[in-house]
Amino acid sequence: MDEPVTPRDIDALYAWYKAMGVTDHAVDQPTDWFDLERQIQARRQEAGVRQVSGGPKPPARPVSPVARAPTPGSQSPPAAPSAPRQPAAPRRPVPVAPDAAVMTARSQAGSATTLAELAQTLQRFDGCGLKATAKSLCFYRGAERARLMLIGEAPGREEDLAGKPFVGRAGQLLDKMLAAIGLGEADVHITNVVYWRPPGNRTPTPQEVQVCEPFLERQIALVEPEIILLLGGAAAKQLLDSQDGIMRLRGKWRDLEKGGRRIKAIATLHPAYLLRTPNAKRQAWRDLLMVEAALRLGTGQTDPTAAAK
Ligand code: URA
């Protein structure tokens, strides 16, 4: 027989959630996973995606304990299986098949002619599963047009609350790093490879990054940066199309073809990593000096004396 759950077990579970970075409930209402599956099927049919024989398995029962975590401090027991049905909760975005979602993203992003339009398009877009658990869209902060664009990984808790990228501790360090090369928020455009916070601050999945990519491509085309600074491994791997780790990718100039233009790109260490590993700041500083030199010299020219160490 199962051991009874004691208050100490519950405390230990909360402590574990906290240690894993879980700070919020994912949802306030229980999810009807069978209804969700019916909606996914309906979306697939609408999108004309043929189902493979036998069809996909119904979604597994909720994997993440986050979705079901009771409010810390509340002692209310989980709802009994026979509890009466709650009134229907407001509809949350329904995930669609990744390939259909990428196609939709591409066509919707391509028709935005300004960043404001792109923001509206993102607000309406339901193809990225992260939207279901995030509080807000974190699109960008800084200038609409900028010579330097910075791309990070994903919004965290502070960003989700503020609806802007890089406003938490990592963002504050980033601002100091930029100030050290004479740049302020008005000089740069800052965003991430995904626009919604992953639950518990986990790394976004390749599918989540892929589905946001058409929006990011359009954003780059509209911002028209001369230089892109990639912050951390997730952004570097995605934009440089590489499986190498950040330590190999950082500190080297690459050419990116985006929006019909050639843009200089360089990767550096993520500010969150620098907060945990202060010794690595030396490397990030070298990368930043390369960016400063390139901005000083102008598009297409990089300081030939500044090699990655
Ligand atoms: N880390 C990121 O990569 N992006 C943010 O916006 C905040 C923290």
Side-chain angles (χ1 to χ4, degrees):
M1 232 176 76
D2 289 343
E3 298 278 314
V5 176
T6 66
R8 185 180 289 204
D9 295 334
I10 294 171
D11 283 349
L13 183 64
Y14 287 142
W16 185 80
Y17 284 158
K18 205 169 159 202
M20 293 298 109
V22 175
T23 50
D24 286 306
H25 296 265
V27 290
D28 305 324
Q29 300 287 339
T31 301
D32 181 343
W33 293 90
F34 295 101
D35 184 46
L36 194 60
E37 171 62 7
R38 282 191 290 277
Q39 291 179 49
I40 293 170
Q41 296 295 359
R43 284 281 181 105
R44 286 207 176 121
Q45 271 161 17
E46 249 175 64
V49 176
R50 272 175 48 114
Q51 202 167 311
V52 278
S53 65
K57 290 200 193 106
R61 296 200 52 86
V63 218
S64 159
V66 182
R68 299 217 163 236
T71 315
S74 108
Q75 291 302 316
S76 42
S82 58
R85 277 180 82 90
Q86 300 282 329
R91 284 245 177 265
R92 294 211 164 248
V94 177
V96 290
D99 45 358
V102 173
M103 275 174 355
T104 309
R106 206 162 283 146
S107 86
Q108 293 186 357
S111 52
T113 59
T114 62
L115 287 175
E117 278 178 26
L118 194 58
Q120 284 170 6
T121 310
L122 275 165
Q123 293 281 15
R124 288 193 303 265
F125 181 68
D126 283 343
C128 178
L130 295 176
K131 188 178 181 183
T133 49
K135 289 191 173 62
S136 28
L137 166 72
C138 295
F139 187 27
Y140 76 92
R141 78 175 167 96
E144 285 192 18
R145 290 273 187 106
R147 293 182 67 203
L148 177 62
M149 180 165 179
L150 294 95
I151 305 178
E153 179 176 314
R157 182 168 184 273
E158 302 297 322
E159 288 74 22
D160 191 29
L161 292 174
K164 281 184 182 183
F166 281 103
V167 293
R169 279 184 70 222
Q172 286 157 20
L173 176 59
L174 180 62
D175 287 347
K176 283 188 192 153
M177 291 160 64
L178 290 171
I181 57 166
L183 299 174
E185 189 179 87
D187 304 307
V188 296
H189 182 100
I190 306 176
T191 192
N192 284 304
V193 288
V194 298
Y195 298 99
W196 295 272
R197 178 195 182 194
N201 293 349
R202 65 161 168 76
T203 304
T205 64
Q207 287 77 10
E208 288 157 356
V209 173
Q210 206 191 341
V211 90
C212 291
E213 194 183 20
F215 295 101
L216 182 61
E217 296 246 342
R218 189 72 193 131
Q219 188 175 358
I220 295 172
L222 293 168
V223 175
E224 292 191 308
E226 286 169 31
I227 294 170
I228 294 181
L229 178 59
L230 300 163
L231 303 168
K237 285 179 187 174
Q238 176 65 16
L239 275 286
L240 302 177
D241 193 18
S242 171
Q243 289 306 310
D244 287 345
I246 185 64
M247 290 301 176
R248 282 181 87 89
L249 292 175
R250 61 153 284 274
K252 299 180 195 115
W253 287 109
R254 318 285 170 113
D255 282 334
L256 291 183
E257 287 288 330
K258 297 281 168 199
R261 294 168 58 245
R262 195 146 66 89
I263 304 169
K264 293 264 163 219
I266 190 167
T268 193
L269 304 172
H270 195 285
Y273 174 77
L274 298 178
L275 286 172
R276 297 192 300 271
T277 323
N279 279 348
K281 285 184 183 168
R282 281 177 60 225
Q283 287 157 297
W285 179 235
R286 275 190 216 124
D287 304 337
L288 275 185
L289 288 179
M290 289 173 75
V291 170
E292 185 195 28
L295 285 170
R296 205 166 0 93
L297 292 166
T299 317
Q301 299 181 59
T302 48
D303 186 346
T305 61
K309 310 267 162 23

PDB file of all heavy atoms in Angstrom, residues 152-156 159 165-166 170 192 270, ligand 1:
ATOM      1  N   GLY A 152      18.757  36.875 -27.523  1.00  0.00           N
ATOM      2  CA  GLY A 152      18.995  35.942 -26.423  1.00  0.00           C
ATOM      3  C   GLY A 152      18.165  34.681 -26.579  1.00  0.00           C
ATOM      4  O   GLY A 152      17.681  34.362 -27.677  1.00  0.00           O
ATOM      5  N   GLU A 153      17.979  33.983 -25.478  1.00  0.00           N
ATOM      6  CA  GLU A 153      17.340  32.667 -25.540  1.00  0.00           C
ATOM      7  C   GLU A 153      15.818  32.744 -25.371  1.00  0.00           C
ATOM      8  O   GLU A 153      15.073  32.457 -26.297  1.00  0.00           O
ATOM      9  CB  GLU A 153      17.955  31.778 -24.458  1.00  0.00           C
ATOM     10  CG  GLU A 153      17.368  30.395 -24.402  1.00  0.00           C
ATOM     11  CD  GLU A 153      18.082  29.533 -23.375  1.00  0.00           C
ATOM     12  OE1 GLU A 153      19.322  29.535 -23.346  1.00  0.00           O
ATOM     13  OE2 GLU A 153      17.387  28.840 -22.616  1.00  0.00           O
ATOM     14  N   ALA A 154      15.383  33.139 -24.190  1.00  0.00           N
ATOM     15  CA  ALA A 154      13.945  33.114 -23.904  1.00  0.00           C
ATOM     16  C   ALA A 154      13.665  33.997 -22.704  1.00  0.00           C
ATOM     17  O   ALA A 154      14.509  34.122 -21.815  1.00  0.00           O
ATOM     18  CB  ALA A 154      13.514  31.682 -23.582  1.00  0.00           C
ATOM     19  N   PRO A 155      12.468  34.581 -22.664  1.00  0.00           N
ATOM     20  CA  PRO A 155      12.127  35.387 -21.490  1.00  0.00           C
ATOM     21  C   PRO A 155      12.092  34.528 -20.228  1.00  0.00           C
ATOM     22  O   PRO A 155      11.788  33.339 -20.278  1.00  0.00           O
ATOM     23  CB  PRO A 155      10.710  35.897 -21.805  1.00  0.00           C
ATOM     24  CG  PRO A 155      10.492  35.653 -23.258  1.00  0.00           C
ATOM     25  CD  PRO A 155      11.390  34.533 -23.667  1.00  0.00           C
ATOM     26  N   GLY A 156      12.430  35.141 -19.114  1.00  0.00           N
ATOM     27  CA  GLY A 156      12.302  34.492 -17.813  1.00  0.00           C
ATOM     28  C   GLY A 156      11.118  35.084 -17.065  1.00  0.00           C
ATOM     29  O   GLY A 156      10.267  35.752 -17.665  1.00  0.00           O
ATOM     30  N   GLU A 159      10.798  38.952 -17.146  1.00  0.00           N
ATOM     31  CA  GLU A 159      10.446  39.389 -18.494  1.00  0.00           C
ATOM     32  C   GLU A 159       8.976  39.111 -18.775  1.00  0.00           C
ATOM     33  O   GLU A 159       8.275  39.929 -19.364  1.00  0.00           O
ATOM     34  CB  GLU A 159      11.328  38.661 -19.526  1.00  0.00           C
ATOM     35  CG  GLU A 159      12.772  39.098 -19.560  1.00  0.00           C
ATOM     36  CD  GLU A 159      13.625  38.614 -18.388  1.00  0.00           C
ATOM     37  OE1 GLU A 159      13.246  37.607 -17.749  1.00  0.00           O
ATOM     38  OE2 GLU A 159      14.666  39.240 -18.115  1.00  0.00           O
ATOM     39  N   PRO A 165      11.900  41.749 -23.077  1.00  0.00           N
ATOM     40  CA  PRO A 165      13.071  40.886 -22.865  1.00  0.00           C
ATOM     41  C   PRO A 165      14.145  41.545 -21.999  1.00  0.00           C
ATOM     42  O   PRO A 165      14.269  42.774 -21.980  1.00  0.00           O
ATOM     43  CB  PRO A 165      13.634  40.671 -24.271  1.00  0.00           C
ATOM     44  CG  PRO A 165      12.692  41.305 -25.212  1.00  0.00           C
ATOM     45  CD  PRO A 165      11.797  42.222 -24.451  1.00  0.00           C
ATOM     46  N   PHE A 166      14.894  40.726 -21.326  1.00  0.00           N
ATOM     47  CA  PHE A 166      16.094  41.137 -20.578  1.00  0.00           C
ATOM     48  C   PHE A 166      15.844  42.317 -19.632  1.00  0.00           C
ATOM     49  O   PHE A 166      16.488  43.359 -19.741  1.00  0.00           O
ATOM     50  CB  PHE A 166      17.235  41.469 -21.558  1.00  0.00           C
ATOM     51  CG  PHE A 166      17.920  40.239 -22.091  1.00  0.00           C
ATOM     52  CD1 PHE A 166      17.666  39.778 -23.373  1.00  0.00           C
ATOM     53  CD2 PHE A 166      18.813  39.529 -21.302  1.00  0.00           C
ATOM     54  CE1 PHE A 166      18.288  38.630 -23.868  1.00  0.00           C
ATOM     55  CE2 PHE A 166      19.448  38.387 -21.791  1.00  0.00           C
ATOM     56  CZ  PHE A 166      19.178  37.939 -23.065  1.00  0.00           C
ATOM     57  N   ALA A 170      19.863  39.220 -15.425  1.00  0.00           N
ATOM     58  CA  ALA A 170      20.715  39.052 -16.617  1.00  0.00           C
ATOM     59  C   ALA A 170      20.613  40.293 -17.502  1.00  0.00           C
ATOM     60  O   ALA A 170      21.612  40.748 -18.078  1.00  0.00           O
ATOM     61  CB  ALA A 170      20.302  37.805 -17.388  1.00  0.00           C
ATOM     62  N   ASN A 192      14.684  37.852 -28.298  1.00  0.00           N
ATOM     63  CA  ASN A 192      15.035  36.456 -27.985  1.00  0.00           C
ATOM     64  C   ASN A 192      14.642  35.548 -29.146  1.00  0.00           C
ATOM     65  O   ASN A 192      13.842  35.939 -29.993  1.00  0.00           O
ATOM     66  CB  ASN A 192      14.258  35.998 -26.744  1.00  0.00           C
ATOM     67  CG  ASN A 192      14.828  36.570 -25.465  1.00  0.00           C
ATOM     68  OD1 ASN A 192      16.003  36.396 -25.159  1.00  0.00           O
ATOM     69  ND2 ASN A 192      13.992  37.273 -24.718  1.00  0.00           N
ATOM     70  N   HIS A 270      26.166  34.087 -22.528  1.00  0.00           N
ATOM     71  CA  HIS A 270      24.907  34.652 -22.063  1.00  0.00           C
ATOM     72  C   HIS A 270      25.132  35.372 -20.729  1.00  0.00           C
ATOM     73  O   HIS A 270      25.843  34.861 -19.857  1.00  0.00           O
ATOM     74  CB  HIS A 270      23.890  33.513 -21.880  1.00  0.00           C
ATOM     75  CG  HIS A 270      22.499  34.013 -21.745  1.00  0.00           C
ATOM     76  ND1 HIS A 270      22.044  34.614 -20.592  1.00  0.00           N
ATOM     77  CD2 HIS A 270      21.466  34.026 -22.609  1.00  0.00           C
ATOM     78  CE1 HIS A 270      20.770  34.956 -20.763  1.00  0.00           C
ATOM     79  NE2 HIS A 270      20.397  34.604 -21.981  1.00  0.00           N
TER      80      HIS A 270
HETATM   81  N1  URA B   1      17.480  35.455 -20.670  1.00  0.00           N
HETATM   82  C1  URA B   1      17.234  35.528 -21.990  1.00  0.00           C
HETATM   83  O1  URA B   1      17.821  34.809 -22.788  1.00  0.00           O
HETATM   84  N2  URA B   1      16.337  36.404 -22.401  1.00  0.00           N
HETATM   85  C2  URA B   1      15.680  37.220 -21.578  1.00  0.00           C
HETATM   86  O2  URA B   1      14.867  38.004 -22.050  1.00  0.00           O
HETATM   87  C3  URA B   1      15.969  37.131 -20.198  1.00  0.00           C
HETATM   88  C4  URA B   1      16.879  36.238 -19.761  1.00  0.00           C
END
